[in-house]
Amino acid sequence: MILIVDDKPENIFSLKTILELHSFPTDTALSGEEALKKILKKSYALIILDVQMPGMDGFEVAEAISGYSKARDIPILFLSAASTDKKFITKGYSAGAMDYITKPIDPDILLLKVKTFYRLYQQNQELNLIQASLRSEIEFRKKVEGELQERAVELHSILESIPQIAFTTSADGKIDYVNEKWLDFSSSKHEFPPTHPDDNVDLAREWQRTVASGKALELEIRVHPRDSSEYRYHLLRAIPVREGENITKWVGTFTDIDDQKQAVKRKDEFISIASHELKTPLTTIKAYVQLLDRSIGPDEPSRMYVERTLVQVQKLDTLIVDLLDLSKIESGKLKFNKRPFVFESILADAVEMIRQTYPDYTIVRKGRADVEVFGDETRIEQVVLNYLTNAVKYSPDQKEVQIETGVQPDGQVFVRVKDYGIGISKEHQQNIFGKFYRVDEAAGKFQGLGIGLYICAEVIRRHEGVYGVESAPGQGSTFYFCVPIGSKT
Ligand code: ADP
């Protein structure tokens, strides 16, 4: 809007007509005082101001305007009588006005100047808008940066307080913070501590891979303090910190797990030594008891004791063999003697053995597997026996066990052992193939070490097969495995 200020209505009329003809919206004031009132209320793009007016003249009005912070930037176009007012023009400029036009007014020049001012006004408005949005953007960023800074400080003080080596990196994996403990292990704040040569891990490369994958890292490695050459096992864990979909940074720790590692190693060594040491005298005991068994007549009263001793010796033997197997798996020394064998024959043997050992149980056979399988016969039979023994053991009140076998369409031979016993809840099912895992509720009632299924799992894995369990508490369980027939590996 353009404000035309003139004491003569006819002048106002002609100016208004010219401007409105060219689509400029206008407002009018017949005196300086009225103009000032209007300027205070509304905002204008331009003020066309007659210099000679009774009361406040144009220059006085301009000077007053320059004192208003809201209006001081509005351009002013003075209307001056050609000869008389020119000497005042410089005064006009110094009061903040921007141009003048002499009377009588040439409409073309008027329009030219008005258009220029109007464009300037519009550009100014746009610039003001841009400036305002930039200012709020800067404010926003400052706020976010401040918050981030606060969070980083908080995170760093947490990482400083923990006993682990800790670090954070930017989203692209560059280390941007390390705690004090880090410097006990690495000479640089930007490089990972060196690892044991036997670990065969290039941490920098491993880290690049992790960052590229966007997935958490968990790695056991050995690092040593800078003031000692003794390497200690550490668990390196690093997780990405996300905001929505995006990773904004990574946080990682190295936890010293050397003591646990050594304890596990000592325990494994103990199990290995103890089971070896127990095995030798037990073999001798077993041999003598068997001799005794054969030398006692069928009607001798002591026969029953000898037979019971033999059963217990057999149980002890199985336990010790399992413990020996466990140590072999741990040390990577469980050997497999693979060659072709008829699958059906091991099933028949295993079922026969269970029937003899547990005569009060009914073992129902379903299907046949008359195929030749390439694998370790004894180990596969061990798995079948283990499944069957467990099925009997964990179903004290339901004396039927089913064993189903056959060849799957994909060419794998399968075995499913079903019992109607105590069953296993979902949460335990995923763990029972783990080492020493026993279901708490059952552990009190049934004896065992929790290593049978662990060995089964290893045997099936080493035959490139699949194993698992389907079960529900109180409903019985079905343990299954399948192995490829022709695998030569
Ligand atoms: P163990 O029988 O010596 O404890 P296993 O490794 O053979 O060790 O079995 C691990 C655990 O799995 C057992 O302690 C038992 O809780 C559970 N389990 C195994 N077989 C069965 C089954 N047929 N029914 C119910 N629970 C079973």
Side-chain angles (χ1 to χ4, degrees):
M1 178 95 71
I2 297 170
L3 179 63
I4 306 165
V5 190
D6 202 314
D7 58 319
K8 295 185 189 71
E10 63 276 18
N11 284 354
I12 287 191
F13 180 74
S14 67
L15 283 169
K16 195 172 158 69
T17 313
I18 300 169
L19 294 175
E20 285 184 352
L21 253 176
H22 288 83
S23 313
F24 288 107
T26 57
D27 193 2
T28 58
L30 284 164
S31 68
E33 291 82 356
E34 189 190 351
L36 287 179
K37 274 188 206 148
K38 289 202 161 186
I39 289 164
L40 272 181
K41 282 196 199 128
K42 285 192 206 162
S43 77
Y44 295 99
L46 172 67
I47 302 167
I48 299 177
L49 191 54
D50 185 20
V51 172
Q52 280 188 319
M53 286 187 292
M56 276 183 105
D57 72 13
F59 298 130
E60 284 164 342
V61 175
E63 219 165 299
I65 292 173
S66 71
Y68 298 166
S69 62
K70 184 174 157 254
R72 97 160 52 99
D73 295 329
I74 304 175
I76 298 174
L77 188 58
F78 286 109
L79 299 177
S80 65
S83 52
T84 49
D85 297 332
K86 274 207 184 136
K87 58 179 185 301
F88 294 115
I89 293 304
T90 40
K91 192 181 164 196
Y93 274 114
S94 65
M98 296 188 76
D99 206 350
Y100 73 95
I101 187 162
T102 52
K103 289 177 185 174
I105 290 161
D106 176 337
D108 289 337
I109 295 183
L110 173 76
L111 277 172
L112 205 73
K113 296 201 172 193
V114 166
K115 275 184 191 160
T116 312
F117 279 127
Y118 216 84
R119 207 176 312 123
L120 258 177
Y121 168 78
Q122 280 172 333
Q123 284 170 352
N124 243 342
Q125 292 287 93
E126 279 164 25
L127 274 176
N128 282 344
L129 278 179
I130 293 172
Q131 206 182 12
S133 87
L134 276 177
R135 205 172 290 135
S136 75
E137 171 86 18
I138 290 170
E139 288 303 313
F140 176 73
R141 281 182 185 222
K142 265 196 201 150
K143 198 169 148 244
V144 171
E145 250 166 48
E147 280 171 9
L148 278 178
Q149 194 75 27
E150 266 174 37
R151 270 158 59 185
V153 168
E154 202 178 314
L155 173 66
H156 293 170
S157 50
I158 292 171
L159 294 181
E160 211 53 73
S161 72
I162 60 175
Q164 283 99 330
I165 305 170
F167 65 100
T168 65
T169 79
S170 53
D172 61 2
K174 229 176 258 137
I175 300 173
D176 55 15
Y177 162 81
V178 295
N179 68 357
E180 281 288 314
K181 185 96 176 165
W182 174 283
L183 296 171
D184 293 344
F185 287 78
S186 173
S187 54
S188 158
K189 287 184 172 177
H190 307 287
E191 277 166 37
F192 284 104
T195 54
H196 194 290
D198 292 350
D199 286 347
N200 267 332
V201 175
D202 179 347
L203 265 193
R205 194 171 301 159
E206 197 63 47
W207 184 240
Q208 275 172 6
R209 256 202 296 269
T210 302
V211 171
S213 77
K215 292 202 187 103
L217 171 71
E218 205 167 299
L219 198 65
E220 282 185 11
I221 36 126
R222 280 171 286 180
V223 292
H224 69 88
R226 285 165 61 207
D227 59 5
S228 151
S229 56
E230 187 204 335
Y231 282 91
R232 290 180 67 82
Y233 270 101
H234 281 72
L235 175 69
L236 164 57
R237 293 192 73 208
I239 50 156
V241 178
R242 290 177 196 274
E243 244 171 54
E245 289 290 287
N246 298 330
I247 293 176
T248 53
K249 65 184 337 355
W250 290 80
V251 183
T253 51
F254 291 70
T255 309
D256 189 329
I257 51 165
D258 204 69
D259 290 343
Q260 286 111 294
K261 274 275 186 199
Q262 298 307 334
V264 170
K265 200 168 148 220
R266 277 195 297 274
K267 181 206 71 192
D268 288 345
E269 279 167 6
F270 172 77
I271 290 177
S272 168
I273 293 168
S275 46
H276 270 106
E277 292 300 316
L278 289 169
K279 180 81 180 147
T280 322
L282 186 70
T283 311
T284 317
I285 294 172
K286 200 168 145 188
Y288 281 123
V289 179
Q290 277 166 345
L291 270 179
L292 203 60
D293 187 38
R294 267 175 239 148
S295 62
I296 295 177
D299 304 324
E300 294 251 6
S302 57
R303 180 165 188 86
M304 186 179 81
Y305 303 123
V306 173
E307 271 171 3
R308 285 189 186 167
T309 310
L310 247 183
V311 169
Q312 296 306 319
V313 167
Q314 190 54 50
K315 274 192 188 164
L316 201 53
D317 193 49
T318 313
L319 275 179
I320 291 171
V321 168
D322 277 357
L323 281 174
L324 278 170
D325 281 350
L326 175 79
S327 335
K328 285 183 201 151
I329 293 175
E330 298 298 284
S331 56
K333 286 185 191 143
L334 189 68
K335 294 274 175 301
F336 286 84
N337 179 16
K338 291 188 182 175
R339 55 194 169 77
F341 67 93
V342 179
F343 200 74
E344 190 55 38
S345 67
I346 60 158
L347 288 176
D349 290 352
V351 169
E352 192 45 42
M353 191 183 290
I354 295 295
R355 279 184 181 143
Q356 271 181 23
T357 321
Y358 306 98
D360 49 340
Y361 275 78
T362 311
I363 314 291
V364 180
R365 282 215 54 185
K366 287 186 170 175
R368 285 182 69 85
D370 285 307
V371 282
E372 203 169 69
V373 170
F374 184 84
D376 187 320
E377 186 174 359
T378 321
R379 290 289 177 196
I380 300 269
E381 185 174 350
Q382 184 183 2
V383 176
V384 178
L385 276 172
N386 221 312
Y387 277 11
L388 284 169
T389 315
N390 278 350
V392 167
K393 175 158 122 188
Y394 294 104
S395 55
D397 305 323
Q398 301 291 330
K399 307 245 179 263
E400 181 181 313
V401 170
Q402 286 178 10
I403 175 163
E404 186 187 354
T405 183
V407 180
Q408 296 178 164
D410 64 1
Q412 302 219 5
V413 61
F414 74 88
V415 172
R416 294 170 69 82
V417 175
K418 184 174 171 62
D419 64 61
Y420 300 92
I422 60 169
I424 307 157
S425 65
K426 271 262 166 306
E427 54 172 311
H428 292 302
Q429 286 174 25
Q430 59 212 33
N431 299 320
I432 52 171
F433 287 91
K435 194 167 38 166
F436 298 128
Y437 193 88
R438 308 202 69 220
V439 179
D440 284 345
E441 301 89 72
K445 281 191 252 158
F446 305 93
Q447 286 181 342
L449 290 181
I451 50 178
L453 291 179
Y454 176 70
I455 296 168
C456 293
E458 176 72 3
V459 171
I460 301 303
R461 255 198 308 268
R462 296 278 295 270
H463 282 79
E464 278 147 38
V466 175
Y467 57 85
V469 61
E470 293 151 9
S471 182
Q475 316 253 303
S477 317
T478 300
F479 279 82
Y480 60 86
F481 74 85
C482 50
V483 283
I485 290 177
S487 165
K488 293 257 188 289
T489 51

